[in-house]
């Protein structure tokens, strides 16, 4: 990694948690993704969800067709399957043979297009045992959905009620605690027992490193800063920033960039999700620079994810310039438009 006051050179990163949707809108998202990342783990929460190896293959082919039409080479989509109460152990073996890299756990009703998610993890013990045997990671949306639990406490409660028992029942299962948002989650992953040091990791988004929950509410409702898990208090943002910039290999980049058309965000019942793909690397650089830790960015963005997934690190070098970039207020999104994170603002770092 090379750092100067005006330039950062680093190994090209990957995005270990990304939504690209499907159909015409996917084309616009892929154009933004491929400019920055060499690979990305593609989330399976479509309508209908990607629940089988056959559906994952078909989705990958649609992505590859769009990449080809864009003239993009060198970007690899990594497919996942949506875990349900009815997923079978046989599907794990089929998925591995098809090159699927992980299964995704959405507690039913936790986020966008999660209605088909898991109602009770006990229904999935046979398939999780098969995943553990095959070395297939489980990516978890770490929130409980019980109505009596405050929305700001869902992640903290998930650790005690779901994650810790799951790790005790399946100690060799590789788990990624995705888009963590709280001090409790950061400390839990940081302090995981030594025997599990290679089986637990976490991704962190740019919005949770740069914003607290005031960004949603101060001066009126700001729907484009609303995501799930929701932004938390400032003390949690500080803890996440400390984790991301610590050099601990359990923490790595995952944007959870979740595109929705402008009209679906600016709505009486607006969708959850921030679109950070347009300028993700610049946002992460801003976060790391804010605490004087730009020298830790390459590990977080480029090394720790591939290492956890036992994949080779990339070799291509990308360059960020400290050159002010104005973020557009809207971008093309199929026949509609999308509003990127930090729209209308100027950020310091931009990709060459």
């Amino acid at each position: 990694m090379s750092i100067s006051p005006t330039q950062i050179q680093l190994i090209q990163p990957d995005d270990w948690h990304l939504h690209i949707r499907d159909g015409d809108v996917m084309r616009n998202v892929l154009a933004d993704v491929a400019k920055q990342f060499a690979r990305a783990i593609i989330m399976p929460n479509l309508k209908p969800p990607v629940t089988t190896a056959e559906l994952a293959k078909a989705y990958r082919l649609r992505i590859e067709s769009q990449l080809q039409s864009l003239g993009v080479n060198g970007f690899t989509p990594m497919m996942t399957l949506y875990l349900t109460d009815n997923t079978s152990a046989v599907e794990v073996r089929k998925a591995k043979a098809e090159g699927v890299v992980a299964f995704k756990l959405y507690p039913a009703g936790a986020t966008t297009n999660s209605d088909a998610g898991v109602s009770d993890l006990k229904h999935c013990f046979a398939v999780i045992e098969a995943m553990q045997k095959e070395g297939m990671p489980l990516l978890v949306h770490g929130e409980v959905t019980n109505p009596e639990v405050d929305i700001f406490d869902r992640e903290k409660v998930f650790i005690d009620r779901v994650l810790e028992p799951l790790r005790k029942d399946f100690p060799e299962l590789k788990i990624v605690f995705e888009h963590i948002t709280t001090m409790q989650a950061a400390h839990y992953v940081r302090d995981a027992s030594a025997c599990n040091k290679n089986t637990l990791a976490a991704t962190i988004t740019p919005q949770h490193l740069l914003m607290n929950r005031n960004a949603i509410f101060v001066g009126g409702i700001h729907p484009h800063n609303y995501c799930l898990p929701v932004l938390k208090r400032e003390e949690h943002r500080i803890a996440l920033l400390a984790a991301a910039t610590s050099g601990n290999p359990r923490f790595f980049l995952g944007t959870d960039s979740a595109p929705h058309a402008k009209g679906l965000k600016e709505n009486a019942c607006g969708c959850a999700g921030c679109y950070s793909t347009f300028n993700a690397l610049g946002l992460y650089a801003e976060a790391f620079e804010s605490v004087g830790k730009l020298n830790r960015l390459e590990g977080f963005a480029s090394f720790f994810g591939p290492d956890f997934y036992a994949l080779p690190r990339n070799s291509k070098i990308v360059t960020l310039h400290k050159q002010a970039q104005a973020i557009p207020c809207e971008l093309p999104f199929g026949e509609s438009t999308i509003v990127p994170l930090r729209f209308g603002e100027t950020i310091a770092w931009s990709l060459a």
Side-chain angles (χ1 to χ4, degrees), residues 14 16 39 174 198 201 249-250 252 298-300 302-314:
D14 305 299
W16 299 96
R39 297 171 290 203
K174 297 191 78 167
N198 296 319
R250 292 178 178 173
F252 45 81
E298 187 175 49
F300 174 84
S302 310
F303 295 162
F304 302 153
D307 293 351
F308 181 83
Y309 282 91
L311 294 170
R313 296 176 177 180
N314 300 316

Side-chain angles (χ1 to χ4, degrees), residues 8-316:
I8 306 168
Q9 289 188 320
L10 70 161
I11 295 293
Q12 187 174 20
D14 305 299
D15 189 343
W16 299 96
H17 183 125
L18 178 66
H19 300 267
I20 61 171
R21 308 308 183 203
D22 207 351
D24 292 340
V25 299
M26 178 170 63
R27 177 183 177 87
N28 300 111
V29 177
L30 285 173
D32 286 341
V33 173
K35 291 175 185 176
Q36 299 173 82
F37 300 107
R39 297 171 290 203
I41 283 191
I42 308 300
M43 292 294 106
N45 58 331
L46 304 181
K47 285 187 174 181
V50 181
T51 54
T52 67
E54 183 178 356
L55 290 172
K57 179 181 179 180
Y59 189 21
R60 187 184 69 244
L61 290 174
R62 296 196 297 276
I63 296 168
E64 291 172 348
S65 176
Q66 290 282 19
L67 290 169
Q68 185 177 13
S69 71
L70 288 165
V72 171
N73 296 308
F75 174 76
T76 302
M78 296 178 288
M79 310 312 295
T80 60
L81 291 193
Y82 189 118
L83 187 65
T84 75
D85 289 347
N86 300 316
T87 304
S88 72
V90 173
E91 200 62 46
V92 176
R93 293 185 285 275
K94 289 181 179 178
K96 187 171 184 179
E98 189 54 52
V100 171
V101 298
F103 278 73
K104 178 63 185 276
L105 168 63
Y106 289 106
T111 188
T112 303
N113 298 346
S114 63
D115 293 343
V118 174
S119 63
D120 188 333
L121 204 55
K122 292 180 181 179
H123 298 156
C124 303
F125 274 13
V127 69
I128 293 173
E129 185 173 9
M131 291 170 59
Q132 179 174 249
K133 182 179 179 180
E134 296 290 341
M136 179 77 74
L138 178 64
L139 318 181
V140 301
H141 180 112
E143 294 186 289
V144 297
T145 56
N146 311 64
E148 72 273 11
V149 178
D150 189 288
I151 191 169
F152 291 101
D153 296 328
R154 286 179 170 185
E155 185 174 276
K156 178 175 64 175
V157 174
F158 179 88
I159 294 171
D160 296 330
R161 292 188 185 178
V162 182
L163 185 56
E164 181 63 11
L166 176 66
R167 292 180 64 235
K168 288 180 178 178
D169 288 335
F170 301 96
E172 302 302 318
L173 177 69
K174 297 191 78 167
I175 298 173
V176 180
F177 195 172
E178 297 199 298
H179 45 51
I180 61 171
T181 66
T182 60
M183 178 192 308
Q184 289 83 3
H187 291 176
Y188 180 81
V189 174
R190 180 196 67 187
D191 299 334
S193 58
C195 64
N196 294 108
K197 64 182 179 180
N198 296 319
T199 58
L200 180 65
T203 57
I204 308 179
T205 77
Q207 63 264 27
H208 290 104
L209 291 177
L210 291 168
M211 300 188 295
N212 61 38
R213 65 189 188 181
N214 287 349
I216 306 173
F217 303 112
V218 171
I221 298 295
H222 299 276
H224 299 288
N225 293 338
Y226 169 57
C227 57
L228 288 173
V230 69
L231 299 172
K232 304 299 195 298
R233 291 178 180 271
E234 177 66 3
E235 64 181 349
H236 298 294
R237 187 192 72 83
I238 291 171
L240 295 175
L241 192 54
T245 62
S246 67
N248 187 327
R250 292 178 178 173
F251 301 101
F252 45 81
L253 185 156
T255 64
D256 190 25
S257 183
H260 295 283
K262 179 181 178 181
L264 295 178
K265 291 288 288 180
E266 299 175 3
N267 190 290
C269 187
C271 296
C274 297
Y275 186 64
S276 61
T277 299
F278 176 75
N279 55 324
L281 292 184
L283 293 173
Y284 279 112
E286 179 180 316
F288 277 65
E289 186 179 40
S290 72
V291 289
K293 296 288 181 66
L294 276 175
N295 61 312
R296 300 275 177 84
L297 178 61
E298 187 175 49
F300 174 84
S302 310
F303 295 162
F304 302 153
D307 293 351
F308 181 83
Y309 282 91
L311 294 170
R313 296 176 177 180
N314 300 316
S315 57
K316 180 181 176 181

